[in-house]
Amino acid sequence: MSGGSDDDAALETGNDQPAPVSTPALNSTPDGAVGAQEPSILTNQGSDDAPNVQRLSISTNKDSRTDQSVPLQQLILDVTRNPKFSAEEKRAKVQQLYKKSIDNLIKPEKLETEEGEQPSFHDEKNKILGCKHYKRSCKVQCSECQKFYTCRHCHNAAESHQFNREKTTSMLCMKCMTKQPVGPNCKNPECGARMARYYCGHCRFFDDEKDRDIYHCIHCGICRRGKQEDFFHCKQCGTCVNKDIQAEHKCFSGSMDSNCPACGEYMFTSTKPVMFMPCGHCIHTKCYRKYIRHNYTCPICRKSLGNMTAMFDRIQSVLNEHTMPPEFRDIVAKILCNDCEQYSTAPFHFMYHKCGNCGSFNTQVLSKSKRETESQQADADDE
């Protein structure tokens, strides 16, 4: 941490002699006069608890007899202890030193750090550390690119490779900026801060959200949101399922090991809530709510997403009022029902076709043909 600040240091004096200050020093010239010099490159060292008073210095001129920078305090002491100067001359020379030091004041430069080695905030206004995804007081280091990121999502959005949490061994405490092995607390004895309310040593995962329940599933191999006692791990589906739907849960092998059919995001490790549709396929809960505004079938298997009895009754009423033109009345359609997965035939219509097996209108037309008359059917039987 930087021990200095960007603000100009205040100049304070005691009763007899000036107090130590953090203003730039001025070097002596060969003739004993004091002059302004070119600034030198400086380093800034200190700690949060006891910042060191820096001696920002001014380098010597080319004609100086020494290359060593002289602190301002030493120059003032030399003037006040010189018996050749009267009290009035000493006051004038000290004021001159102060004036020249302020005129040549150099603000300490912030130490350049590697990419990612600065604090990041979940809420910068309230100084809550973290990122837009999580609240936490540390960053984790990617084993491949060696860069520090607040979470894997931030890393994956910025880099061309994926963040491997299992290979992560180092973290950076954002409170004291100390690099150290991954753990729940900062190992710096002067800091010792807790990195987050929840820490998982398997996933190297931190979350400081106060009202969020999280548990680690050994079968999934990752951390899940919620209370562990409210979920069971379905081995066929390969994921955790809420016990509230355990009775009607339809197992679908690898249902979570896929992308959301609406937004395309991989669902198994997604941070967004995921739900099971009645058919057994998965989708983000938020995506589902948007999807059913305009659709009533699963985007994957096309099965109905609920009890469609009332809707199918309305469809039948519409079909009864809209008869087909005469030239289409002899046409029949071979259909496949998306709900019961059975084949059947139905009178051809421009809008809907009713399944002859379960009565669903959630069907698709496979082919069309003219209805055979009784004489044509009799001739076919004779042949």
Side-chain angles (χ1 to χ4, degrees):
M1 295 292 292
S2 174
S5 66
D6 290 340
D7 298 326
D8 293 342
L11 303 180
E12 300 179 358
T13 59
N15 295 329
D16 299 323
Q17 297 181 356
V21 294
S22 57
T23 52
L26 301 178
N27 285 332
S28 300
T29 57
D31 59 0
V34 178
Q37 313 296 327
E38 294 294 327
S40 61
I41 299 176
L42 305 171
T43 58
N44 192 358
Q45 298 177 346
S47 66
D48 291 334
D49 296 330
N52 295 332
V53 177
Q54 283 207 294
R55 292 185 174 184
L56 304 186
S57 59
I58 304 300
S59 63
T60 57
N61 282 336
K62 293 181 180 180
D63 57 347
S64 297
R65 290 177 295 181
T66 176
D67 290 335
Q68 184 179 1
S69 298
V70 181
L72 175 62
Q73 180 187 7
Q74 185 61 49
L75 292 174
I76 294 174
L77 289 175
D78 291 342
V79 171
T80 56
R81 293 173 180 175
N82 194 328
K84 298 181 180 180
F85 299 140
S86 64
E88 185 176 350
E89 290 175 327
K90 290 179 181 179
R91 284 194 296 271
K93 290 186 178 295
V94 168
Q95 290 300 323
Q96 185 183 14
L97 289 174
Y98 279 135
K99 183 179 182 304
K100 289 187 177 294
S101 66
I102 293 174
D103 291 341
N104 294 280
L105 182 64
I106 306 171
K107 293 183 179 180
E109 295 182 358
K110 293 182 178 179
L111 289 177
E112 293 186 1
T113 57
E114 297 180 11
E115 186 176 356
E117 296 184 24
Q118 302 90 21
S120 61
F121 295 92
H122 179 81
D123 183 354
E124 189 169 3
K125 181 179 180 181
N126 295 312
K127 300 302 179 183
I128 299 176
L129 294 169
C131 63
K132 65 180 182 179
H133 305 103
Y134 302 105
K135 295 178 183 179
R136 53 180 61 170
S137 298
C138 67
K139 293 186 175 185
V140 285
Q141 187 179 35
C142 174
S143 59
E144 184 171 341
C145 63
Q146 301 299 311
K147 295 179 182 178
F148 285 92
Y149 284 91
T150 312
C151 76
R152 64 183 179 91
H153 301 291
C154 295
H155 171 276
N156 295 343
E159 304 293 342
S160 58
H161 55 277
Q162 296 295 302
F163 191 95
N164 191 330
R165 289 180 291 183
E166 294 181 356
K167 294 184 178 180
T168 299
T169 58
S170 300
M171 72 176 186
L172 177 73
C173 174
M174 289 194 287
K175 292 190 174 182
C176 66
M177 305 310 292
T178 302
K179 298 179 185 179
Q180 56 194 281
V182 176
N185 301 310
C186 177
K187 294 177 175 60
N188 180 0
E190 297 182 0
C191 179
R194 183 175 65 171
M195 297 297 96
R197 288 179 172 84
Y198 176 84
Y199 167 71
C200 176
H202 299 282
C203 300
R204 277 74 165 177
F205 176 71
F206 303 82
D207 190 8
D208 201 38
E209 196 67 48
K210 184 178 180 181
D211 299 322
R212 180 180 294 166
D213 294 317
I214 306 174
Y215 70 96
H216 179 82
C217 176
I218 58 175
H219 302 289
C220 291
I222 59 175
C223 293
R224 297 288 190 190
R225 292 188 183 182
K227 296 181 179 179
Q228 190 167 9
E229 57 268 23
D230 294 337
F231 293 84
F232 73 97
H233 182 85
C234 178
K235 293 184 178 180
Q236 184 173 346
C237 293
T239 188
C240 292
V241 182
N242 196 305
K243 291 181 179 178
D244 292 340
I245 63 170
Q246 187 171 2
E248 61 267 22
H249 170 63
K250 293 182 179 180
C251 293
F252 198 100
S253 180
S255 58
M256 281 279 285
D257 189 19
S258 59
N259 297 332
C260 174
C263 69
E265 182 184 351
Y266 186 56
M267 292 184 290
F268 186 77
T269 57
S270 175
T271 58
K272 302 174 184 176
V274 176
M275 62 170 287
F276 287 89
M277 292 180 283
C279 57
H281 289 110
C282 294
I283 188 173
H284 285 131
T285 304
K286 187 176 181 180
C287 294
Y288 176 79
R289 291 170 181 167
K290 291 182 179 180
Y291 178 79
I292 59 175
R293 294 175 185 173
H294 310 288
N295 301 274
Y296 67 90
T297 62
C298 170
I300 300 175
C301 66
R302 297 185 179 180
K303 290 186 181 297
S304 298
L305 294 175
N307 188 339
M308 306 299 295
T309 303
M311 181 178 178
F312 289 160
D313 289 343
R314 290 195 296 270
I315 292 175
Q316 185 64 62
S317 300
V318 172
L319 295 181
N320 294 337
E321 296 175 1
H322 295 80
T323 58
M324 293 291 289
E327 59 267 29
F328 291 98
R329 292 176 184 173
D330 292 334
I331 297 179
V332 294
K334 183 180 180 180
I335 61 175
L336 171 64
C337 179
N338 294 322
D339 288 335
C340 68
E341 300 181 2
Q342 298 295 315
Y343 295 94
S344 62
T345 58
F348 176 74
H349 200 278
F350 294 141
M351 294 186 292
Y352 297 98
H353 301 84
K354 187 175 182 178
C355 174
N357 182 56
C358 68
S360 170
F361 281 96
N362 181 16
T363 60
Q364 51 184 313
V365 176
L366 301 178
S367 63
K368 300 187 293 288
S369 62
K370 279 193 174 182
R371 192 194 312 270
E372 294 182 350
T373 63
E374 293 182 0
S375 60
Q376 290 174 333
Q377 183 66 39
D379 293 341
D381 292 341
D382 293 339
E383 294 177 359

